[in-house]
Amino acid sequence: MNLTPVWISLQLASVTVVVLLALGTPLAWWLAVGRSRWRVPVDALVALPLVLPPTVLGFYMLVLLGPQGPIGGPWFAVTGDTLTFSFIGLVMTSVLYSLPFVVQPLRDAFRAVGAGPLEAAAMLGARPLDAFFRVACPLAGRGFLTAAVLGFAHTLGEFGAILMVGGSIPGETRVVAIAIYEHVETLDYASAHVLSAGLLLFSFLVLLAIYTLNRRGRTGGLV
Amino acid sequence: MTRWIVGWMLVLAVTPAMAESVRVAVASNFLAPLEQIADAYSAQGGAALQISAGATGQHYAQIVNGAPYDVLLAADQARPERLAVEGYARPESRFSYAVGRLVLWAGANASLPDDGLAGLAGHPMRRLAIANPELAPYGLAARQTLEATSQWSALSEDIIQAQNVGQAFQYLATGNVSHALVAASYTGLENAPRGDWIMVDARLHDPVRQDAVILEQAANPEGAKRFVEFLKGPVAGEILTRFGYQAAVSRP
Protein backbone atom coordinates (compact mmCIF):
# COMPACT_ATOMS: atom_id res chain seq x y z
CA MET A 1 0.00 0.00 0.00
CA ASN A 2 1.76 3.11 -1.28
CA LEU A 3 1.03 6.30 0.64
CA THR A 4 2.87 8.72 -1.69
CA PRO A 5 -0.43 9.94 -3.25
CA VAL A 6 -1.55 11.07 0.20
CA TRP A 7 1.54 13.27 0.57
CA ILE A 8 1.10 14.66 -2.95
CA SER A 9 -2.50 15.55 -2.10
CA LEU A 10 -1.52 17.24 1.16
CA GLN A 11 1.25 19.19 -0.61
CA LEU A 12 -1.08 20.25 -3.40
CA ALA A 13 -3.76 21.37 -0.94
CA SER A 14 -1.24 23.33 1.16
CA VAL A 15 0.37 25.14 -1.77
CA THR A 16 -3.04 25.89 -3.29
CA VAL A 17 -4.31 27.41 -0.04
CA VAL A 18 -1.23 29.63 0.34
CA VAL A 19 -1.54 30.89 -3.25
CA LEU A 20 -5.29 31.40 -2.86
CA LEU A 21 -4.94 33.38 0.40
CA ALA A 22 -2.35 35.64 -1.25
CA LEU A 23 -4.49 36.23 -4.35
CA GLY A 24 -7.90 35.90 -2.73
CA THR A 25 -7.51 38.36 0.15
CA PRO A 26 -7.25 41.53 -1.98
CA LEU A 27 -9.91 40.19 -4.33
CA ALA A 28 -12.28 39.42 -1.45
CA TRP A 29 -11.67 42.87 0.05
CA TRP A 30 -12.44 44.54 -3.27
CA LEU A 31 -15.61 42.44 -3.61
CA ALA A 32 -16.67 43.35 -0.06
CA VAL A 33 -16.10 47.12 -0.09
CA GLY A 34 -15.57 48.01 -3.76
CA ARG A 35 -18.00 50.30 -5.53
CA SER A 36 -17.01 49.34 -9.11
CA ARG A 37 -19.66 48.28 -11.59
CA TRP A 38 -17.44 45.25 -12.34
CA ARG A 39 -18.06 43.94 -8.84
CA VAL A 40 -21.15 41.88 -9.64
CA PRO A 41 -19.78 40.20 -12.80
CA VAL A 42 -16.53 39.37 -10.97
CA ASP A 43 -18.55 37.95 -8.07
CA ALA A 44 -20.33 35.71 -10.57
CA LEU A 45 -17.03 34.68 -12.18
CA VAL A 46 -15.57 33.72 -8.80
CA ALA A 47 -18.59 31.50 -8.12
CA LEU A 48 -18.36 29.64 -11.46
CA PRO A 49 -16.30 26.67 -10.18
CA LEU A 50 -19.17 25.94 -7.77
CA VAL A 51 -21.53 25.12 -10.63
CA LEU A 52 -19.34 24.06 -13.56
CA PRO A 53 -18.45 20.39 -13.96
CA PRO A 54 -14.74 19.88 -13.21
CA THR A 55 -14.44 18.38 -16.69
CA VAL A 56 -15.01 21.86 -18.16
CA LEU A 57 -12.08 23.23 -16.17
CA GLY A 58 -10.01 20.13 -16.99
CA PHE A 59 -10.68 20.43 -20.70
CA TYR A 60 -9.82 24.14 -20.84
CA MET A 61 -6.69 23.63 -18.76
CA LEU A 62 -5.56 20.79 -21.03
CA VAL A 63 -5.78 23.21 -23.95
CA LEU A 64 -4.44 26.34 -22.17
CA LEU A 65 -1.52 24.63 -20.40
CA GLY A 66 -0.48 22.48 -23.38
CA PRO A 67 2.73 23.28 -25.26
CA GLN A 68 0.73 25.09 -27.95
CA GLY A 69 -1.55 26.84 -25.45
CA PRO A 70 -1.44 30.54 -24.52
CA ILE A 71 -0.09 29.78 -21.03
CA GLY A 72 1.72 26.49 -21.65
CA GLY A 73 3.38 27.76 -24.84
CA PRO A 74 5.54 30.52 -23.30
CA TRP A 75 6.24 28.26 -20.30
CA PHE A 76 7.41 25.50 -22.64
CA ALA A 77 9.58 27.96 -24.58
CA VAL A 78 11.34 29.10 -21.38
CA THR A 79 11.62 25.87 -19.38
CA GLY A 80 11.35 23.13 -22.02
CA ASP A 81 8.69 21.44 -19.88
CA THR A 82 4.95 21.24 -20.37
CA LEU A 83 2.68 22.59 -17.65
CA THR A 84 0.35 19.66 -18.15
CA PHE A 85 1.52 16.55 -16.26
CA SER A 86 3.34 18.76 -13.73
CA PHE A 87 2.75 19.68 -10.10
CA ILE A 88 2.72 23.38 -11.01
CA GLY A 89 0.01 22.73 -13.57
CA LEU A 90 -2.03 20.99 -10.86
CA VAL A 91 -1.57 23.99 -8.56
CA MET A 92 -2.88 26.34 -11.29
CA THR A 93 -5.87 24.07 -11.86
CA SER A 94 -6.60 23.73 -8.14
CA VAL A 95 -6.36 27.50 -7.58
CA LEU A 96 -9.19 28.01 -10.08
CA TYR A 97 -11.10 25.00 -8.82
CA SER A 98 -11.07 26.09 -5.15
CA LEU A 99 -11.26 29.86 -5.74
CA PRO A 100 -14.84 30.40 -4.45
CA PHE A 101 -14.18 28.31 -1.34
CA VAL A 102 -11.53 30.79 -0.25
CA VAL A 103 -12.79 34.08 -1.67
CA GLN A 104 -16.42 33.83 -0.56
CA PRO A 105 -15.87 33.26 3.20
CA LEU A 106 -13.28 36.07 3.17
CA ARG A 107 -15.61 38.42 1.29
CA ASP A 108 -18.42 37.73 3.77
CA ALA A 109 -16.09 38.19 6.73
CA PHE A 110 -14.87 41.55 5.41
CA ARG A 111 -18.47 42.59 4.80
CA ALA A 112 -19.34 41.67 8.39
CA VAL A 113 -16.48 43.83 9.65
CA GLY A 114 -18.03 46.76 7.78
CA ALA A 115 -16.71 50.25 7.28
CA GLY A 116 -17.11 51.41 10.90
CA PRO A 117 -13.90 50.07 12.45
CA LEU A 118 -11.88 51.24 9.45
CA GLU A 119 -13.34 54.74 9.62
CA ALA A 120 -12.51 54.85 13.31
CA ALA A 121 -8.95 53.76 12.53
CA ALA A 122 -8.69 56.43 9.84
CA MET A 123 -9.92 59.08 12.30
CA LEU A 124 -7.11 58.03 14.60
CA GLY A 125 -4.64 58.57 11.77
CA ALA A 126 -4.07 55.05 10.44
CA ARG A 127 -3.08 54.76 6.79
CA PRO A 128 -5.48 52.60 4.69
CA LEU A 129 -3.07 49.65 4.35
CA ASP A 130 -2.24 49.87 8.06
CA ALA A 131 -5.92 49.89 8.93
CA PHE A 132 -6.54 46.91 6.69
CA PHE A 133 -3.83 44.74 8.23
CA ARG A 134 -4.22 45.84 11.84
CA VAL A 135 -7.96 46.31 12.08
CA ALA A 136 -9.86 44.52 9.30
CA CYS A 137 -7.79 41.31 9.09
CA PRO A 138 -7.82 40.51 12.84
CA LEU A 139 -11.57 41.18 12.94
CA ALA A 140 -12.05 38.84 9.97
CA GLY A 141 -9.84 36.17 11.56
CA ARG A 142 -12.42 33.45 11.60
CA GLY A 143 -13.17 34.14 7.95
CA PHE A 144 -9.51 33.46 7.15
CA LEU A 145 -9.61 30.20 9.07
CA THR A 146 -12.82 29.08 7.33
CA ALA A 147 -11.39 30.04 3.93
CA ALA A 148 -8.12 28.20 4.52
CA VAL A 149 -9.73 25.01 5.81
CA LEU A 150 -12.42 24.91 3.13
CA GLY A 151 -9.91 25.60 0.34
CA PHE A 152 -7.67 22.86 1.69
CA ALA A 153 -10.45 20.30 2.01
CA HIS A 154 -11.96 21.11 -1.37
CA THR A 155 -8.60 20.75 -3.12
CA LEU A 156 -8.13 17.40 -1.40
CA GLY A 157 -11.43 16.30 -2.94
CA GLU A 158 -10.55 17.33 -6.45
CA PHE A 159 -10.76 14.61 -9.09
CA GLY A 160 -12.17 15.36 -12.53
CA ALA A 161 -9.93 18.24 -13.56
CA ILE A 162 -6.79 16.55 -12.21
CA LEU A 163 -7.68 13.34 -14.00
CA MET A 164 -7.60 15.29 -17.25
CA VAL A 165 -4.44 17.39 -16.84
CA GLY A 166 -2.35 15.44 -14.33
CA GLY A 167 -1.30 12.32 -16.19
CA SER A 168 -1.10 10.38 -12.92
CA ILE A 169 2.69 10.52 -12.53
CA PRO A 170 3.77 8.76 -9.31
CA GLY A 171 5.36 11.18 -6.86
CA GLU A 172 4.31 14.22 -8.89
CA THR A 173 0.71 14.30 -10.03
CA ARG A 174 -0.86 11.07 -8.75
CA VAL A 175 -3.06 12.45 -5.96
CA VAL A 176 -5.11 10.38 -3.56
CA ALA A 177 -8.38 10.68 -5.51
CA ILE A 178 -6.68 9.40 -8.66
CA ALA A 179 -5.01 6.59 -6.71
CA ILE A 180 -8.44 5.51 -5.42
CA TYR A 181 -9.82 5.54 -8.96
CA GLU A 182 -6.96 3.38 -10.19
CA HIS A 183 -7.31 0.93 -7.30
CA VAL A 184 -10.99 0.51 -8.19
CA GLU A 185 -10.08 0.13 -11.88
CA THR A 186 -7.66 -2.69 -11.12
CA LEU A 187 -10.12 -4.30 -8.68
CA ASP A 188 -7.78 -3.66 -5.75
CA TYR A 189 -10.66 -2.83 -3.44
CA ALA A 190 -8.65 -3.26 -0.24
CA SER A 191 -6.39 -0.30 -1.01
CA ALA A 192 -9.36 1.68 -2.31
CA HIS A 193 -11.13 1.10 1.01
CA VAL A 194 -8.17 2.23 3.11
CA LEU A 195 -7.68 5.47 1.18
CA SER A 196 -11.41 6.19 0.89
CA ALA A 197 -12.11 5.64 4.57
CA GLY A 198 -9.15 7.84 5.49
CA LEU A 199 -10.39 10.63 3.25
CA LEU A 200 -13.94 10.26 4.54
CA LEU A 201 -12.87 10.52 8.17
CA PHE A 202 -10.53 13.43 7.51
CA SER A 203 -13.18 15.39 5.59
CA PHE A 204 -15.75 14.82 8.31
CA LEU A 205 -13.38 16.05 11.02
CA VAL A 206 -12.54 19.14 8.97
CA LEU A 207 -16.20 20.05 8.49
CA LEU A 208 -16.96 19.29 12.12
CA ALA A 209 -14.22 21.72 13.13
CA ILE A 210 -15.60 24.40 10.79
CA TYR A 211 -19.16 24.02 12.07
CA THR A 212 -17.99 24.06 15.68
CA LEU A 213 -16.15 27.31 15.02
CA ASN A 214 -19.05 28.85 13.16
CA ARG A 215 -21.53 28.13 15.91
CA ARG A 216 -19.65 30.68 18.00
CA GLY A 217 -20.24 33.39 15.43
CA ARG A 218 -21.62 33.53 11.90
CA THR A 219 -18.96 34.18 9.32
CA GLY A 220 -19.71 31.28 7.05
CA GLY A 221 -19.78 31.75 3.32
CA LEU A 222 -20.67 28.40 1.89
CA VAL A 223 -21.26 26.30 4.95
CA MET B 1 -47.17 24.43 -9.24
CA THR B 2 -45.13 22.14 -7.01
CA ARG B 3 -47.74 19.44 -7.49
CA TRP B 4 -47.32 19.67 -11.27
CA ILE B 5 -43.54 19.40 -11.03
CA VAL B 6 -43.73 16.42 -8.70
CA GLY B 7 -46.33 14.84 -10.97
CA TRP B 8 -44.13 15.21 -14.04
CA MET B 9 -41.13 13.85 -12.18
CA LEU B 10 -43.14 10.78 -11.27
CA VAL B 11 -44.25 10.35 -14.88
CA LEU B 12 -40.65 10.63 -16.07
CA ALA B 13 -39.41 8.29 -13.35
CA VAL B 14 -41.77 5.47 -14.23
CA THR B 15 -41.50 5.83 -18.01
CA PRO B 16 -39.76 2.60 -18.97
CA ALA B 17 -36.79 2.60 -21.29
CA MET B 18 -37.51 1.53 -24.84
CA ALA B 19 -38.89 -1.92 -24.37
CA GLU B 20 -36.89 -3.72 -27.03
CA SER B 21 -33.54 -1.99 -26.70
CA VAL B 22 -30.33 -3.76 -25.70
CA ARG B 23 -28.08 -2.08 -23.13
CA VAL B 24 -24.42 -2.37 -23.99
CA ALA B 25 -21.51 -1.34 -21.77
CA VAL B 26 -18.49 -0.83 -24.03
CA ALA B 27 -14.80 -0.08 -23.54
CA SER B 28 -14.10 3.45 -24.76
CA ASN B 29 -11.70 2.29 -27.48
CA PHE B 30 -14.52 0.39 -29.19
CA LEU B 31 -17.17 3.13 -28.98
CA ALA B 32 -16.74 4.52 -32.51
CA PRO B 33 -16.95 1.12 -34.29
CA LEU B 34 -19.86 0.08 -32.04
CA GLU B 35 -21.86 3.14 -33.06
CA GLN B 36 -21.49 2.13 -36.71
CA ILE B 37 -22.33 -1.48 -35.88
CA ALA B 38 -25.43 -0.25 -34.03
CA ASP B 39 -26.55 1.70 -37.11
CA ALA B 40 -26.01 -1.32 -39.35
CA TYR B 41 -27.88 -3.52 -36.86
CA SER B 42 -30.96 -1.31 -36.69
CA ALA B 43 -30.88 -0.88 -40.48
CA GLN B 44 -31.33 -4.67 -40.61
CA GLY B 45 -34.33 -4.40 -38.29
CA GLY B 46 -32.38 -5.20 -35.13
CA ALA B 47 -33.09 -3.60 -31.75
CA ALA B 48 -31.78 -0.16 -30.84
CA LEU B 49 -28.69 -0.21 -28.62
CA GLN B 50 -28.33 1.89 -25.49
CA ILE B 51 -24.58 2.39 -25.33
CA SER B 52 -22.60 3.27 -22.18
CA ALA B 53 -18.91 3.84 -22.89
CA GLY B 54 -16.33 3.80 -20.12
CA ALA B 55 -13.40 2.03 -18.54
CA THR B 56 -13.78 -1.72 -18.16
CA GLY B 57 -12.77 -1.75 -14.49
CA GLN B 58 -15.51 0.75 -13.78
CA HIS B 59 -18.03 -1.29 -15.73
CA TYR B 60 -16.99 -4.33 -13.72
CA ALA B 61 -17.62 -2.51 -10.42
CA GLN B 62 -20.97 -1.24 -11.67
CA ILE B 63 -22.10 -4.68 -12.90
CA VAL B 64 -21.18 -6.33 -9.60
CA ASN B 65 -23.36 -3.69 -7.96
CA GLY B 66 -26.35 -4.33 -10.18
CA ALA B 67 -25.90 -2.03 -13.18
CA PRO B 68 -28.67 -2.80 -15.69
CA TYR B 69 -26.60 -3.80 -18.74
CA ASP B 70 -27.38 -6.71 -21.03
CA VAL B 71 -23.97 -7.06 -22.69
CA LEU B 72 -20.43 -6.06 -21.73
CA LEU B 73 -17.89 -5.41 -24.50
CA ALA B 74 -14.70 -5.26 -22.47
CA ALA B 75 -11.22 -3.94 -23.26
CA ASP B 76 -9.63 -7.18 -22.11
CA GLN B 77 -10.33 -10.83 -21.34
CA ALA B 78 -9.67 -10.82 -17.62
CA ARG B 79 -12.72 -8.98 -16.42
CA PRO B 80 -15.38 -10.77 -18.52
CA GLU B 81 -13.82 -14.03 -17.35
CA ARG B 82 -13.96 -12.90 -13.75
CA LEU B 83 -17.60 -11.85 -14.10
CA ALA B 84 -18.40 -15.28 -15.50
CA VAL B 85 -16.55 -17.06 -12.67
CA GLU B 86 -18.30 -14.93 -10.05
CA GLY B 87 -21.72 -15.63 -11.50
CA TYR B 88 -22.49 -12.19 -12.91
CA ALA B 89 -22.15 -13.24 -16.56
CA ARG B 90 -23.05 -16.29 -18.65
CA PRO B 91 -19.85 -18.30 -19.14
CA GLU B 92 -21.03 -19.91 -22.40
CA SER B 93 -21.60 -16.46 -23.94
CA ARG B 94 -18.01 -15.26 -23.60
CA PHE B 95 -16.01 -14.83 -26.81
CA SER B 96 -13.37 -12.53 -28.31
CA TYR B 97 -15.23 -10.03 -30.44
CA ALA B 98 -12.13 -8.15 -31.57
CA VAL B 99 -8.35 -8.34 -31.54
CA GLY B 100 -6.80 -4.89 -31.26
CA ARG B 101 -3.73 -3.50 -32.97
CA LEU B 102 -1.45 -0.67 -31.91
CA VAL B 103 -0.35 2.31 -33.97
CA LEU B 104 2.49 4.74 -33.36
CA TRP B 105 1.10 8.21 -33.98
CA ALA B 106 3.15 11.38 -34.42
CA GLY B 107 1.25 14.60 -33.74
CA ALA B 108 0.91 17.69 -35.91
CA ASN B 109 4.38 19.17 -35.22
CA ALA B 110 6.25 15.86 -34.96
CA SER B 111 7.51 13.21 -37.31
CA LEU B 112 7.84 9.44 -37.34
CA PRO B 113 11.31 7.84 -37.12
CA ASP B 114 12.63 6.73 -40.55
CA ASP B 115 13.09 3.13 -39.40
CA GLY B 116 9.69 3.01 -37.72
CA LEU B 117 9.00 2.12 -34.12
CA ALA B 118 12.46 0.67 -33.49
CA GLY B 119 14.03 4.11 -33.98
CA LEU B 120 11.84 5.88 -31.46
CA ALA B 121 14.45 6.22 -28.68
CA GLY B 122 16.87 8.18 -30.90
CA HIS B 123 14.16 10.30 -32.50
CA PRO B 124 13.31 13.89 -31.52
CA MET B 125 10.33 13.56 -29.22
CA ARG B 126 8.69 15.71 -26.57
CA ARG B 127 6.61 13.11 -24.79
CA LEU B 128 5.20 9.69 -25.59
CA ALA B 129 1.70 8.88 -24.31
CA ILE B 130 0.71 5.29 -23.61
CA ALA B 131 -2.12 3.85 -21.55
CA ASN B 132 -1.12 2.72 -18.05
CA PRO B 133 0.13 -0.89 -18.50
CA GLU B 134 -1.40 -1.88 -15.16
CA LEU B 135 -4.84 -0.51 -15.97
CA ALA B 136 -5.29 -1.03 -19.68
CA PRO B 137 -4.51 -3.86 -22.11
CA TYR B 138 -3.35 -1.40 -24.78
CA GLY B 139 -0.95 0.01 -22.21
CA LEU B 140 0.44 -3.45 -21.56
CA ALA B 141 0.80 -4.02 -25.31
CA ALA B 142 2.62 -0.69 -25.65
CA ARG B 143 4.99 -1.63 -22.86
CA GLN B 144 5.64 -5.07 -24.37
CA THR B 145 6.34 -3.42 -27.74
CA LEU B 146 8.88 -1.02 -26.25
CA GLU B 147 10.48 -3.85 -24.27
CA ALA B 148 10.66 -6.08 -27.36
CA THR B 149 12.53 -3.31 -29.18
CA SER B 150 14.75 -2.65 -26.09
CA GLN B 151 13.54 0.93 -25.69
CA TRP B 152 11.47 0.75 -22.50
CA SER B 153 14.13 1.98 -20.09
CA ALA B 154 15.61 4.51 -22.53
CA LEU B 155 12.19 6.09 -23.02
CA SER B 156 10.86 5.81 -19.47
CA GLU B 157 11.61 9.49 -18.74
CA ASP B 158 9.56 10.59 -21.75
CA ILE B 159 6.54 8.37 -21.20
CA ILE B 160 3.24 9.76 -19.89
CA GLN B 161 0.86 7.07 -18.71
CA ALA B 162 -2.81 7.86 -19.27
CA GLN B 163 -5.75 6.24 -17.47
CA ASN B 164 -6.75 4.44 -20.63
CA VAL B 165 -5.94 4.39 -24.30
CA GLY B 166 -8.63 7.00 -24.99
CA GLN B 167 -6.93 9.49 -22.70
CA ALA B 168 -3.52 8.75 -24.25
CA PHE B 169 -5.06 9.65 -27.60
CA GLN B 170 -6.58 12.82 -26.11
CA TYR B 171 -3.12 13.96 -24.94
CA LEU B 172 -1.92 13.62 -28.54
CA ALA B 173 -4.96 15.35 -30.02
CA THR B 174 -4.56 18.38 -27.70
CA GLY B 175 -0.84 18.67 -28.48
CA ASN B 176 0.28 17.82 -24.96
CA VAL B 177 2.46 14.98 -26.24
CA SER B 178 4.26 14.67 -29.56
CA HIS B 179 3.85 10.90 -29.96
CA ALA B 180 1.48 8.20 -28.73
CA LEU B 181 1.10 4.43 -28.88
CA VAL B 182 -2.65 3.96 -29.16
CA ALA B 183 -5.32 1.62 -30.48
CA ALA B 184 -5.47 1.40 -34.25
CA SER B 185 -9.22 2.02 -33.97
CA TYR B 186 -8.56 5.77 -33.63
CA THR B 187 -7.28 5.87 -37.20
CA GLY B 188 -10.87 5.24 -38.28
CA LEU B 189 -12.23 8.39 -36.63
CA GLU B 190 -13.69 10.93 -39.03
CA ASN B 191 -12.19 13.83 -37.08
CA ALA B 192 -8.83 12.23 -36.31
CA PRO B 193 -6.14 14.78 -35.43
CA ARG B 194 -3.49 15.73 -37.97
CA GLY B 195 -0.27 13.76 -37.99
CA ASP B 196 1.17 10.54 -39.34
CA TRP B 197 0.81 7.07 -37.98
CA ILE B 198 2.18 3.61 -38.67
CA MET B 199 0.89 0.19 -37.65
CA VAL B 200 2.94 -1.54 -34.98
CA ASP B 201 4.04 -5.08 -35.89
CA ALA B 202 1.55 -7.37 -34.14
CA ARG B 203 4.36 -9.79 -33.27
CA LEU B 204 5.89 -7.28 -30.82
CA HIS B 205 3.18 -7.76 -28.21
CA ASP B 206 0.60 -10.28 -27.01
CA PRO B 207 -2.63 -9.99 -28.96
CA VAL B 208 -5.03 -7.50 -27.35
CA ARG B 209 -8.09 -9.72 -27.22
CA GLN B 210 -11.30 -7.97 -26.24
CA ASP B 211 -14.03 -10.22 -24.88
CA ALA B 212 -17.80 -9.86 -24.79
CA VAL B 213 -20.22 -11.49 -22.34
CA ILE B 214 -23.96 -11.51 -21.81
CA LEU B 215 -24.76 -10.64 -18.20
CA GLU B 216 -26.78 -12.85 -15.84
CA GLN B 217 -29.02 -9.97 -14.84
CA ALA B 218 -29.76 -8.99 -18.47
CA ALA B 219 -33.27 -7.57 -18.71
CA ASN B 220 -33.36 -8.48 -22.38
CA PRO B 221 -31.36 -11.74 -22.76
CA GLU B 222 -32.98 -12.67 -26.08
CA GLY B 223 -32.19 -9.29 -27.59
CA ALA B 224 -28.66 -9.54 -26.22
CA LYS B 225 -28.19 -12.96 -27.86
CA ARG B 226 -29.40 -11.68 -31.22
CA PHE B 227 -27.08 -8.66 -31.06
CA VAL B 228 -24.08 -10.83 -30.13
CA GLU B 229 -24.81 -13.08 -33.14
CA PHE B 230 -24.77 -9.99 -35.34
CA LEU B 231 -21.47 -8.94 -33.77
CA LYS B 232 -19.97 -12.27 -34.86
CA GLY B 233 -21.27 -11.83 -38.41
CA PRO B 234 -19.75 -10.46 -41.63
CA VAL B 235 -21.31 -6.95 -41.51
CA ALA B 236 -19.82 -6.23 -38.09
CA GLY B 237 -16.59 -7.91 -39.20
CA GLU B 238 -16.24 -5.51 -42.09
CA ILE B 239 -16.67 -2.50 -39.77
CA LEU B 240 -14.14 -3.99 -37.33
CA THR B 241 -11.56 -4.38 -40.07
CA ARG B 242 -12.08 -0.80 -41.20
CA PHE B 243 -11.26 0.36 -37.67
CA GLY B 244 -8.04 -1.60 -37.56
CA TYR B 245 -9.24 -4.55 -35.49
CA GLN B 246 -9.00 -8.17 -36.51
CA ALA B 247 -12.57 -9.42 -36.69
CA ALA B 248 -14.19 -11.57 -34.05
CA VAL B 249 -12.66 -14.96 -33.48
CA SER B 250 -14.04 -17.65 -31.26
CA ARG B 251 -12.42 -18.26 -27.91
CA PRO B 252 -9.39 -20.55 -28.09
Side-chain angles (χ1 to χ4, degrees):
Chain A
M1 175 80 209
N2 182 353
L3 288 178
T4 315
V6 177
W7 298 124
I8 298 286
S9 275
L10 293 174
Q11 272 175 25
L12 179 65
S14 312
V15 175
T16 302
V17 164
V18 169
V19 172
L20 270 174
L21 285 177
L23 297 175
T25 304
L27 179 60
W29 178 253
W30 180 78
L31 286 173
V33 304
R35 294 273 172 269
S36 159
R37 63 201 167 93
W38 292 103
R39 202 170 55 82
V40 173
V42 171
D43 231 349
L45 274 177
V46 167
L48 271 180
L50 290 174
V51 295
L52 279 179
T55 42
V56 172
L57 181 64
F59 171 58
Y60 281 141
M61 289 310 252
L62 198 58
V63 175
L64 289 175
L65 302 182
Q68 282 120 43
I71 303 169
W75 180 274
F76 180 68
V78 173
T79 63
D81 276 326
T82 54
L83 271 174
T84 40
F85 324 126
S86 76
F87 185 78
I88 296 169
L90 287 197
V91 170
M92 289 179 175
T93 307
S94 305
V95 161
L96 287 177
Y97 178 71
S98 295
L99 185 72
F101 288 80
V102 171
V103 170
Q104 288 189 357
L106 283 178
R107 178 198 64 195
D108 296 347
F110 287 143
R111 256 186 213 150
V113 169
L118 285 166
E119 280 166 8
M123 298 273 285
L124 295 168
R127 283 190 301 273
L129 214 57
D130 236 14
F132 173 76
F133 280 116
R134 296 177 60 175
V135 179
C137 285
L139 282 172
R142 202 178 278 137
F144 275 99
L145 192 64
T146 305
V149 176
L150 274 180
F152 189 90
H154 189 243
T155 305
L156 219 50
E158 193 176 355
F159 172 71
I162 288 184
L163 182 79
M164 291 173 79
V165 300
S168 188
I169 299 167
E172 174 140 27
T173 61
R174 183 176 295 165
V175 299
V176 72
I178 303 284
I180 291 169
Y181 180 76
E182 291 179 359
H183 287 316
V184 173
E185 266 294 293
T186 50
L187 315 188
D188 177 7
Y189 291 176
S191 301
H193 271 303
V194 171
L195 291 177
S196 300
L199 213 50
L200 181 69
L201 187 69
F202 181 83
S203 306
F204 176 72
L205 292 176
V206 163
L207 291 174
L208 190 68
I210 288 277
Y211 283 133
T212 311
L213 274 171
N214 278 347
R215 282 196 46 187
R216 299 192 214 136
R218 297 287 313 145
T219 56
L222 299 157
V223 284
Chain B
M1 183 70 199
T2 314
R3 256 191 330 191
W4 279 105
I5 294 173
V6 171
W8 268 112
M9 282 183 163
L10 282 173
V11 168
L12 290 173
V14 298
T15 307
M18 285 178 294
E20 279 302 298
S21 66
V22 178
R23 296 179 182 190
V24 183
V26 62
S28 303
N29 75 71
F30 199 72
L31 176 62
L34 180 64
E35 283 173 335
Q36 293 199 6
I37 289 169
D39 290 344
Y41 188 50
S42 59
Q44 281 202 354
L49 301 186
Q50 286 188 317
I51 299 170
S52 310
T56 299
Q58 228 173 346
H59 282 145
Y60 170 90
Q62 289 166 348
I63 287 162
V64 168
N65 290 293
Y69 302 125
D70 297 314
V71 181
L72 169 68
L73 302 183
D76 63 359
Q77 294 190 286
R79 283 163 292 196
E81 183 177 15
R82 190 162 159 166
L83 285 169
V85 169
E86 290 171 343
Y88 296 103
R90 305 173 180 207
E92 76 286 351
S93 70
R94 188 165 74 91
F95 78 103
S96 298
Y97 64 93
V99 181
R101 295 281 307 270
L102 275 178
V103 290
L104 172 64
W105 203 313
N109 302 326
S111 62
L112 290 166
D114 293 331
D115 46 350
L117 181 100
L120 202 54
H123 191 71
M125 177 170 58
R126 205 177 51 243
R127 279 235 157 105
L128 171 71
I130 67 170
N132 184 327
E134 275 151 38
L135 299 177
Y138 284 96
L140 184 62
R143 182 180 174 150
Q144 287 169 338
T145 298
L146 294 172
E147 281 171 344
T149 52
S150 315
Q151 302 183 94
W152 176 253
S153 47
L155 287 169
S156 63
E157 287 292 301
D158 303 315
I159 288 174
I160 289 288
Q161 296 187 3
Q163 290 290 328
N164 53 49
V165 70
Q167 198 182 23
F169 185 63
Q170 185 190 104
Y171 287 154
L172 181 89
T174 53
N176 280 288
V177 299
S178 60
H179 295 75
L181 275 167
V182 290
S185 56
Y186 295 117
T187 61
L189 290 178
E190 282 164 23
N191 52 353
R194 286 179 306 142
D196 304 318
W197 52 267
I198 41 168
M199 274 285 187
V200 169
D201 186 343
R203 287 168 303 185
L204 293 174
H205 59 82
D206 296 339
V208 185
R209 288 180 181 278
Q210 301 191 202
D211 276 11
V213 275
I214 295 175
L215 301 172
E216 279 297 350
Q217 61 219 14
N220 185 1
E222 288 312 310
K225 270 204 190 96
R226 280 195 293 273
F227 167 66
V228 164
E229 281 313 308
F230 182 78
L231 190 59
K232 291 175 180 172
V235 179
E238 193 268 321
I239 295 170
L240 279 162
T241 315
R242 203 151 23 86
F243 275 92
Y245 293 95
Q246 287 164 17
V249 286
S250 50
R251 195 151 35 94

